Amino acid sequence: MAGLPLLLLLLVLAGILPAANGSGYLSGYRQKSRLQKDRHFRNIRPNIILILTDDQDIELGSMHAMNKTRQIMEKGGTHFSNAFSTTPMCCPSRSSILTGKYVHNHHTYTNNENCSSPSWQAHHEPHTFAVHLNHSGYRTAFFGKYLNEYNGSYVPPGWKEWVALVKNSRFYNYTLCRNGVREKHSGVYSKDYLTDIITNDSTNYFRMSKRMYPHRPVMMVLSHVAPHGPEDSAPQYSTAFLNASQHITPSYNHAPNLDKHWILRYTGAMKPIHMQFTNMLQRRRMQTLLSVDDSVEKLYNMLVETGELDNTYLIYTSDHGYHIGQFGLVKGKSMPYEFDIRVPFFVRGPNVDQGAINPHIVLNVDLAPTMLDMAGVDIPAEMDGKSILKLLDTDRPVNRFQVNRKGKTWRDSFLVERGKPLHKRGEEMAQEENFLPKYQRVMDLCQKAEYQTSCQQPGQKWQCVEDQTGKLRLYKCKGMAGLYAPRMQALMARGASHVQLSPTTDSDICNCDVVGFKTSFLKRKRLLTKKNPAALSYSDVKSSKTASRKRWARSVSFELDGDLYAVDLEEGYRPPGSRNSSWATHRRRGEGNEEDNDEFSGMGVTSKPSTSSKPTPPAALKVTYRCSILMNDTVKCDGGLYKSLQAWKDHKLHIEHEIETLQTKIKNLRDVKGHLKKVRPEECQCNTPSYLPNNKEIFRLYAGRKHSHRMPSKQKSQWLQKEQKRRKKLRKFLKRLQNNDTCSMPGLTCFTHDNHHWQTAPFWTMGPFCACTSANNNTYWCLRTINDTHNFLFCEFATGFLEYFDLNIDPYQLINAVSTLDRTALNAMHQQLMELRGCKGHKQCNPEKGGKERNYFSEYRPVHRRKRPKVKKPSSKSLGQIWEGWVG
């Protein structure tokens, strides 16, 4: 009986053990299959979708219009709070996004030069991130705006699907290049609105790719044109944001800015019509973003429906920021300040924290290496950016004993650059000065003896004059002393000779007896050009380099596009069809005398020449109806210009209009001159032997041969290119004049706006206006640094001007604090900036920091106080030369 329980126990154990073994096998099988399944999913590379907007800011509140995008990308992903564009211009920034390189390495400096040029297509387009991803097996697709000068004649390498906008941003009436075939669109919303076209084409392509190639990853770029101009919104959103005011920041209409670079000193505060325009512009920009917001939602829903959401990286950003009224600039970009270089930047995808804010610096040059890293593709060493993928990992401690992990090694400084390098500009920039206020610099200069004489010293360019209020002012010596003396001599010679102009009866007959006019002219010219000790003038004692100007000053010269032009002082001119021109000239000719109307508002003499035999010198040369140049070469205007700022601005605008009118006259004079060259009659050879050749023709022949032998072919081609650019600018200028477009300021880029500019609601109804907000030659290089102790922007302009802003105490960059820095700090920042300006590759272009800050940053910290003491700013003389070539 005792053995029975033991037998039963053995039987039970025998039945349980196989079951246990089977259960263990099944458990092991399930575990193995799960690991294989996980490994299978890990081997499937993720999809990558880049959503790129055009001119979208982050500082002026544009993301407040995009609640759906913020829900999907910000709460469902990571927001990089310190995202920047290294060049705040469309084509340079987009070229950096495609190549992962700084502008100085891909050479697309502006929206025109090298933008989708043959050089770009040959050297940089074959090395974009699309080429690398396409070679690795990705199905690549591009939808929307590519580059500003893309002409749609080809499909760039690396793209399987290509639906790109030809030329610059438009919402209606545009042309697409669809896989090499041009496709024109009109202005019907349901089938032509570009934002919806991009959304629909991209989602359809993704669905088709996953249906036909389920195991191949997809990389798409959705390059929206919003909120770029012309800011046409969808009809259903044309009434949204009636009271949009997010753009009104502390720097809004903060003008004038006398401590900043020349553009901000040149442009003043906005007028009421400009401020109304900024409100309308902000409203229209945010309306266009509502369609982009819908696009992000549709894309998200498509990923959910296809089951690809968890295996897809979504990146949302912009090519650069924007300003609307900041510092008095009505609209635009291209400035080195926060509102233009900061961009929205969100990432969502596998292993990306949701709802996180990452403070590390990310740049537009990081997009290319990041997408290659996401795809598992090797990043080329020549890319200047770095992959941000490691920044997306969560900083979680391994265990409770490892709380303080070492911080990630990452950059804390980067380069902001805009414009062409100096060695390629072909012209020297006018230098600007820092530190001292203008009145103090004038006082210092007026202590020198060379400025205390009335433009009488050889080579003197400036003189000091005390105005009615007792302030010292610098006036430029415009050669008027030399202008007066020959003119007076000419009047003397004219009065002494008593020349009678007797017209000939037949102009075609060579009459060698009638030589009175020719003789008097030769005598007068000889009298004016010959060095006569008894009649020595300022123009006679100038150096030999200016010998070509030692003649009777019948004209005043000025420079346009690098060329020197002469404007007649004796002839008045009214351009044809100019109704609002202020030129009023009447010329009466009598026998032997001439009379100039003193109402001439260009260049003229204020007092009429006397009819007596002894001419009286003019008291002043009347330049405008309110200003004249006196005999001592000083400029004298009526008292109202010195007291009223508005009168000063109005008269300055009047002068600019008259300059444009003179430029029109120059064009007409050139046409007449060219005509006269073609129809020149043969000279009368009365006393000259016929066998002697024409001296002018010999000189022209010799000069032409000498020039052809002296100029190499490379220099000749460069000269031809410059000449073509000059002629193109002149044609544009003349076209503006023909259209009565007077919206221009010297050196600035201006735009006009009227009631017909916007073709969709809401409409502008307040009439036309002009605004000048930027310049094509605004070249600068900036060092932007953000770390635990510093947050600053340091800029060097091509003019030599310096700017420094400590954003810890001045977040809106209202005050240029460069005068608070000592020479050591300036040298250290300049040295680091020079290294970044010439960097190549990610190792050189990314100054990194670890868990602790580097010690040299302590050199950059100025002594800041809550209330700055009123101390005299150090002058450039007291600082000495900071570095070679610096002027300040």
Side-chain angles (χ1 to χ4, degrees):
M1 293 296 294
L4 182 60
L6 181 61
L7 180 61
L8 293 174
L9 180 61
L10 292 174
L11 291 174
V12 170
L13 290 175
I16 292 175
L17 285 176
N21 290 336
S23 175
Y25 171 77
L26 292 175
S27 176
Y29 175 78
R30 284 195 297 268
Q31 185 177 5
K32 183 177 180 181
S33 64
R34 186 180 301 114
L35 292 174
Q36 289 176 347
K37 188 176 182 181
D38 291 341
R39 191 179 299 113
H40 174 70
F41 275 110
R42 284 197 299 271
N43 288 336
I44 294 180
R45 290 182 294 174
N47 307 302
I48 304 170
I49 299 178
L50 170 63
I51 305 172
L52 183 66
T53 54
D54 196 1
D55 290 9
Q56 184 178 1
D57 61 89
I58 189 68
E59 293 287 287
L60 308 186
S62 66
M63 290 303 300
H64 293 297
M66 310 184 71
N67 294 326
K68 300 172 185 177
T69 302
R70 293 173 63 189
Q71 181 71 26
I72 295 170
M73 299 299 301
E74 187 174 357
K75 294 186 178 180
T78 296
H79 174 211
F80 284 88
S81 58
N82 286 315
F84 297 89
S85 173
T86 56
T87 301
M89 293 187 71
C90 291
C91 199
S93 178
R94 290 170 177 268
S95 301
S96 295
I97 291 173
L98 290 166
T99 60
K101 296 181 180 180
Y102 275 112
V103 166
H104 64 264
N105 288 329
H106 62 67
H107 310 302
T108 303
Y109 296 105
T110 66
N111 286 336
N112 299 315
E113 184 172 348
N114 205 31
C115 180
S116 190
S117 67
S119 174
W120 159 264
Q121 297 173 28
H123 299 101
H124 302 290
E125 212 164 34
H127 305 289
T128 63
F129 64 81
V131 175
H132 298 288
L133 292 177
N134 182 44
H135 290 166
S136 69
Y138 269 78
R139 288 184 55 80
T140 57
F142 187 94
F143 304 93
K145 177 180 176 179
Y146 183 53
L147 299 174
N148 294 48
E149 294 297 319
Y150 173 68
N151 58 17
S153 62
Y154 70 101
V155 176
W159 301 99
K160 294 289 187 182
E161 182 74 7
W162 182 255
V163 185
L165 179 69
V166 176
K167 295 293 183 176
N168 207 357
S169 297
R170 283 189 178 185
F171 294 85
Y172 296 107
N173 303 307
Y174 54 85
T175 301
L176 293 177
C177 175
R178 188 179 292 272
N179 297 319
V181 179
R182 296 172 74 91
E183 178 181 290
K184 291 188 177 181
H185 287 259
S186 59
V188 180
Y189 168 73
S190 59
K191 61 178 182 179
D192 296 314
Y193 193 63
L194 185 55
T195 304
D196 294 345
I197 295 289
I198 294 171
T199 304
N200 297 332
D201 286 355
S202 60
T203 53
N204 292 338
Y205 177 79
F206 192 91
R207 292 177 188 272
M208 182 270 296
S209 295
K210 288 302 176 182
R211 186 170 57 250
M212 297 181 62
Y213 309 95
H215 300 294
R216 289 188 63 180
V218 176
M219 190 281 296
M220 297 193 307
V221 176
L222 280 68
S223 181
H224 292 287
V225 297
H228 193 285
E231 302 96 13
D232 293 326
S233 66
Q236 64 269 26
Y237 296 131
S238 61
T239 58
F241 307 112
L242 186 60
N243 298 314
S245 59
Q246 295 86 350
H247 62 291
I248 302 179
T249 63
S251 60
Y252 178 81
N253 206 24
H254 185 271
N257 296 270
L258 301 180
D259 61 335
K260 295 182 176 66
H261 65 277
W262 69 274
I263 294 180
L264 297 183
R265 292 203 305 268
Y266 201 62
T267 56
M270 294 185 293
K271 297 179 181 179
I273 190 173
H274 296 148
M275 300 174 73
Q276 290 289 336
F277 172 78
T278 60
N279 297 337
M280 176 72 78
L281 180 62
Q282 174 73 358
R283 181 187 179 190
R284 290 181 61 98
R285 282 169 55 86
M286 296 181 73
Q287 288 173 353
T288 63
L289 289 173
L290 290 177
S291 295
V292 180
D293 201 34
D294 292 340
S295 173
V296 175
E297 184 186 40
K298 291 178 181 178
L299 189 66
Y300 174 81
N301 293 335
M302 182 270 298
L303 292 174
V304 173
E305 293 172 6
T306 56
E308 296 287 338
L309 178 64
D310 295 334
N311 192 41
T312 301
Y313 283 105
L314 278 171
I315 305 173
Y316 183 95
T317 187
S318 175
D319 53 0
H320 51 75
Y322 205 71
H323 58 257
I324 306 176
Q326 279 62 43
F327 297 137
L329 303 174
V330 179
K331 71 170 185 176
K333 52 236 182 189
S334 78
M335 294 294 171
Y337 309 118
E338 295 291 281
F339 42 74
D340 280 358
I341 63 175
R342 279 190 179 268
V343 295
F345 201 103
F346 303 93
V347 180
R348 177 190 178 118
N351 301 321
V352 177
D353 276 353
Q354 296 185 0
I357 299 178
N358 195 311
H360 288 91
I361 296 175
V362 295
L363 309 173
N364 56 346
V365 296
D366 296 332
L367 283 170
T370 298
M371 287 188 283
L372 295 183
D373 195 15
M374 289 175 175
V377 178
D378 293 336
I379 302 173
E382 62 267 17
M383 285 190 174
D384 301 329
K386 294 184 64 177
S387 171
I388 67 171
L389 204 56
K390 70 176 183 179
L391 301 179
L392 298 172
D393 295 336
T394 309
D395 283 334
R396 296 190 179 95
V398 177
N399 53 52
R400 63 190 180 123
F401 301 105
Q402 191 180 355
V403 178
N404 297 322
R405 298 178 64 189
K406 185 178 180 181
K408 290 184 174 65
T409 301
W410 195 250
R411 71 167 71 90
D412 55 6
S413 300
F414 65 94
L415 172 68
V416 181
E417 57 182 340
R418 195 260 184 183
K420 293 176 282 188
L422 291 180
H423 66 275
K424 290 187 177 183
R425 293 188 55 80
E427 58 181 9
E428 296 183 1
M429 300 290 295
Q431 300 296 318
E432 298 180 271
E433 296 208 4
N434 280 91
F435 305 121
L436 284 179
K438 183 177 180 180
Y439 72 90
Q440 193 169 350
R441 296 199 305 269
V442 172
M443 290 179 59
D444 292 345
L445 289 174
C446 289
Q447 301 300 322
K448 299 180 180 179
E450 58 184 293
Y451 295 101
Q452 296 178 1
T453 58
S454 300
C455 294
Q456 296 176 357
Q457 300 184 30
Q460 183 177 348
K461 296 182 179 180
W462 299 89
Q463 67 163 339
C464 287
V465 179
E466 188 173 351
D467 62 9
Q468 296 176 348
T469 62
K471 290 184 179 180
L472 291 173
R473 296 181 180 272
L474 276 178
Y475 289 96
K476 192 172 184 179
C477 297
K478 300 180 181 179
M480 287 301 178
L483 185 148
Y484 270 113
R487 192 172 183 87
M488 291 174 59
Q489 292 176 6
L491 292 173
M492 297 292 186
R494 186 183 304 175
S497 59
H498 297 284
V499 178
Q500 298 292 329
L501 299 181
S502 56
T504 59
T505 57
D506 191 354
S507 59
D508 296 334
I509 300 175
C510 186
N511 189 352
C512 295
D513 296 330
V514 184
V515 295
F517 172 76
K518 188 174 181 179
T519 305
S520 64
F521 175 78
L522 291 175
K523 288 182 179 179
R524 182 174 62 182
K525 189 171 183 179
R526 193 179 302 116
L527 176 65
L528 298 176
T529 56
K530 186 178 179 180
K531 285 190 177 291
N532 187 358
L536 192 64
S537 67
Y538 168 69
S539 61
D540 295 330
V541 297
K542 293 185 74 174
S543 62
S544 59
K545 294 182 180 181
T546 59
S548 61
R549 299 176 60 184
K550 296 175 186 175
R551 59 181 180 86
W552 180 39
R554 295 187 298 268
S555 62
V556 170
S557 61
F558 67 93
E559 189 174 355
L560 173 63
D561 292 333
D563 293 337
L564 200 63
Y565 300 106
V567 180
D568 197 354
L569 292 175
E570 296 184 337
E571 289 283 350
Y573 177 72
R574 176 184 293 274
S578 178
R579 285 179 286 181
N580 58 351
S581 175
S582 61
W583 297 93
T585 307
H586 304 282
R587 191 164 179 82
R588 302 183 182 93
R589 293 179 180 268
E591 289 188 2
N593 58 20
E594 297 178 356
E595 186 178 272
D596 292 334
N597 191 341
D598 63 349
E599 294 298 324
F600 172 58
S601 61
M603 290 291 186
V605 182
T606 57
S607 59
K608 298 180 181 180
S610 175
T611 57
S612 61
S613 59
K614 187 176 182 180
T616 59
L621 186 69
K622 188 171 183 180
V623 180
T624 67
Y625 65 93
R626 302 192 70 168
C627 295
S628 303
I629 299 180
L630 306 180
M631 289 295 296
N632 58 357
D633 279 357
T634 60
V635 178
K636 181 70 175 178
C637 301
D638 57 28
L641 290 183
Y642 301 112
K643 298 178 181 179
S644 172
L645 179 60
Q646 187 61 40
W648 180 87
K649 290 182 178 179
D650 293 341
H651 196 63
K652 185 171 176 292
L653 184 62
H654 164 74
I655 292 174
E656 291 166 357
H657 281 291
E658 294 208 348
I659 290 176
E660 292 180 355
T661 309
L662 286 172
Q663 291 169 345
T664 306
K665 181 184 176 183
I666 290 171
K667 189 260 179 184
N668 295 337
L669 290 175
R670 283 183 165 180
D671 293 341
V672 174
K673 181 180 178 181
H675 172 73
L676 292 177
K677 284 183 178 180
K678 295 178 182 178
V679 299
R680 176 180 177 179
E682 295 183 359
E683 293 185 2
C684 297
Q685 305 293 336
C686 299
N687 298 322
T688 308
S690 58
Y691 59 84
L692 291 179
N694 192 329
N695 293 334
K696 284 189 176 182
E697 293 184 359
I698 291 178
F699 174 77
R700 287 175 185 171
L701 182 63
Y702 172 74
R705 290 176 179 175
K706 184 179 179 181
H707 184 72
S708 62
H709 287 299
R710 183 177 53 195
M711 180 179 289
S713 59
K714 185 176 180 180
Q715 293 182 2
K716 188 175 182 179
S717 62
Q718 293 176 353
W719 178 84
L720 288 175
Q721 291 178 357
K722 290 182 180 179
E723 182 67 15
Q724 290 175 355
K725 288 183 179 180
R726 187 192 65 80
R727 292 181 179 178
K728 184 178 180 180
K729 288 182 179 180
L730 189 59
R731 285 196 302 267
K732 288 183 177 180
F733 174 75
L734 295 174
K735 186 176 181 181
R736 287 207 321 267
L737 289 180
Q738 291 175 359
N739 297 331
N740 292 327
D741 182 9
T742 57
C743 179
S744 64
M745 293 181 72
L748 289 181
T749 302
C750 306
F751 73 94
T752 56
H753 193 92
D754 54 29
N755 294 349
H756 305 289
H757 183 79
W758 284 324
Q759 299 297 318
T760 59
F763 298 102
W764 175 257
T765 59
M766 298 188 65
F769 67 87
C770 169
C772 302
T773 59
S774 184
N776 291 329
N777 60 347
N778 185 28
T779 301
Y780 56 77
W781 301 269
C782 299
L783 174 68
R784 184 73 174 93
T785 296
I786 303 175
N787 54 42
D788 295 340
T789 58
H790 291 77
N791 184 10
F792 66 83
L793 174 73
F794 171 72
C795 292
E796 296 178 6
F797 290 81
T799 58
F801 195 79
L802 304 179
E803 288 185 358
Y804 173 83
F805 303 94
D806 188 342
L807 278 78
N808 285 329
I809 63 173
D810 184 16
Y812 296 98
Q813 300 164 293
L814 303 180
I815 301 174
N816 180 12
V818 70
S819 60
T820 64
L821 300 174
D822 59 14
R823 191 187 310 174
T824 304
L826 286 173
N827 272 321
M829 285 188 286
H830 171 73
Q831 183 63 33
Q832 187 176 1
L833 184 58
M834 293 300 294
E835 292 175 359
L836 287 175
R837 284 176 56 180
C839 73
K840 289 186 178 181
H842 67 91
K843 291 185 179 180
Q844 296 181 11
C845 296
N846 295 281
E848 295 177 343
K849 69 178 182 67
K852 296 182 180 180
E853 303 296 334
R854 288 187 290 182
N855 293 330
Y856 68 76
F857 275 110
S858 61
E859 300 175 358
Y860 295 178
R861 175 174 290 181
V863 181
H864 290 297
R865 302 173 177 84
R866 290 183 177 269
K867 293 183 178 180
R868 296 179 182 174
K870 295 182 179 180
V871 296
K872 183 179 179 181
K873 294 181 180 180
S875 65
S876 57
K877 185 176 180 180
S878 62
L879 284 176
Q881 190 177 25
I882 297 179
W883 56 79
E884 185 179 358
W886 180 84
V887 289

